[in-house]
Amino acid sequence: MTTTSGLVEVLKRELRSRGITYAQVARKLNLSEASVKRMFSRRNFTLKRLDQVCQLTQGEFSDLAQALAREEKLLSRLSLEQEKEIASSIKLFLVAVCVLNHVDPDQIVALYDISKPECIQLLVKLDRVGFIRLLPNNRIRLMVSRDFTWLPDGPIQRFFKQHAHSDFFRSSFDRTDEHMVAVNGMLSRASSAVIIERLKRTAREFSELHNNDLKLPPSERSAMSLLVAIRHWELQAFVDLRRKKPPSTSGNRT
C-alpha cells in the first residue's frame, strides 16, 4: 500500500467513527458527492485535499501520518511459533479472540468460566507472545492490524478444521442473520481470479463493519463467523464415477 493510500484508509476510518458522510465532505470540498466517492475509491487525493478533509475531523494531516505510522508497525499475521503458543490452550485462544473483538477483561470474566486472576495470567501470556501489550490497570493494546488474519493452514486454521468445522455447519442457516449457499460450476482461470478478488473484498467489508461496531457495548454485538472459501474440488462420489481413460496405444504396431 502506498503512503497516500494508507493515509486515505486511516482518514476513511476516522470519518466513519465521527459519523461524517461523503455528502458533508463534498460540501467541504465544493464537489459533487459522486466525485468524492470516486476520489475515495481511487484513493486519488492531493495533500491539500487530505488536509481539507482532516479539518472536518477536527484533526491535522500530521495526526493521520502518526496514525499510519503506528498501524504500519502492527502485525497482519503472526509467526508459526506465535500461533502454536496461542493454539496450545483453549482458554488462551478464547481470550485472544475476545481481545480481537475488544472485549475487556471484566467482560471476559462475566461471560466465561474464567476467574479474574486467571484472565490476567492469560493476558500476560498474550503479551509475552507479542499479540497484545498489557498496560496499567489491565488495559489492552492490540499489536495486530485491522486486516489481521490467521496463517493459511496454520495452527489456528488447523484447530478450526479439527474442532470447529462440523460445529460450524451444524445449523440450518435459516435465521435472518445467517446465510449459506453452495454453488458448483466450471470456471476459467480468469473467472476464478475475479471471484477470488470479490471474496477478498467481502472479507475486508466484514472486517470494516466489525471495526465500525467496536464502539457498541458487547450486549449489542453478537459473535459472528464468516467462512470464505473456493477451491478446485469435485465430490469424491462424482470422481469415482468418472470414466477411466483407456491406456495409450500410440507407437504400438498391429
Side-chain angles (χ1 to χ4, degrees):
M1 182 181 290
T2 65
T3 300
T4 302
S5 295
L7 290 169
V8 172
E9 288 302 310
V10 173
L11 180 56
K12 283 170 65 175
R13 290 195 292 271
E14 184 65 21
L15 291 171
R16 281 197 299 268
S17 69
R18 294 177 177 272
I20 298 172
T21 65
Y22 282 141
Q24 291 171 283
V25 176
R27 286 194 293 272
K28 174 70 176 179
L29 301 181
N30 197 27
L31 297 170
S32 68
E33 187 173 348
S35 296
V36 169
K37 288 181 178 178
R38 187 163 52 249
M39 191 165 58
F40 271 97
S41 66
R42 295 177 179 176
R43 299 177 176 84
N44 184 20
F45 273 77
T46 63
L47 294 180
K48 179 181 179 181
R49 279 185 170 163
L50 274 174
D51 192 50
Q52 288 175 321
V53 181
C54 281
Q55 294 171 19
L56 281 173
T57 67
Q58 300 179 345
E60 298 180 355
F61 178 81
S62 59
D63 297 328
L64 286 186
Q66 290 173 8
L68 179 61
R70 287 194 299 270
E71 290 194 4
E72 287 178 340
K73 295 178 182 178
L74 301 179
L75 302 172
S76 59
R77 282 182 180 169
L78 300 179
S79 69
L80 181 62
E81 291 306 314
Q82 287 172 309
E83 278 207 10
K84 280 182 178 179
E85 179 69 21
I86 291 175
S88 66
S89 161
I90 185 63
K91 287 188 176 181
L92 188 62
F93 181 32
L94 167 65
V95 173
V97 171
C98 285
V99 297
L100 270 179
N101 290 321
H102 292 251
V103 180
D104 66 39
D106 288 336
Q107 293 165 338
I108 294 173
V109 171
L111 287 168
Y112 300 102
D113 188 17
I114 299 176
S115 68
K116 186 65 173 286
E118 187 180 18
C119 184
I120 301 306
Q121 289 176 357
L122 293 168
L123 290 171
V124 169
K125 286 185 179 180
L126 290 177
D127 181 288
R128 192 161 56 242
V129 168
F131 191 72
I132 66 168
R133 285 290 173 267
L134 189 57
L135 305 174
N137 299 318
N138 298 325
R139 291 179 296 111
I140 298 167
R141 177 187 297 159
L142 275 170
M143 301 306 293
V144 297
S145 63
R146 290 171 176 266
D147 59 351
F148 171 79
T149 57
W150 302 109
L151 289 171
D153 199 36
I156 300 299
Q157 283 200 4
R158 288 198 294 271
F159 179 92
F160 178 84
K161 291 175 184 176
Q162 293 169 4
H163 302 283
H165 182 272
S166 60
D167 187 54
F168 183 85
F169 288 104
R170 195 177 297 127
S171 170
S172 56
F173 291 90
D174 57 356
R175 286 176 30 158
T176 55
D177 58 352
E178 295 181 339
H179 181 68
M180 187 185 81
V181 58
V183 181
N184 301 96
M186 300 180 71
L187 299 178
S188 66
R189 288 184 179 273
S191 296
S192 295
V194 170
I195 290 295
I196 288 171
E197 183 53 42
R198 289 179 182 174
L199 293 178
K200 289 180 179 178
R201 190 184 312 152
T202 298
R204 288 195 297 268
E205 289 173 356
F206 180 94
S207 180
E208 287 178 4
L209 291 170
H210 159 75
N211 289 318
N212 291 345
D213 289 345
L214 290 178
K215 58 182 176 292
L216 300 173
S219 59
E220 296 183 26
R221 296 182 285 146
S222 299
M224 303 288 287
S225 294
L226 173 69
L227 177 63
V228 178
I230 183 172
R231 58 162 292 199
H232 293 282
W233 179 76
E234 186 177 13
L235 194 67
Q236 187 59 45
F238 295 173
V239 174
D240 293 341
L241 289 171
R242 279 184 175 268
R243 195 178 299 279
K244 305 298 185 290
K245 293 182 180 180
S248 174
T249 58
S250 60
N252 292 343
R253 295 173 180 240
T254 57

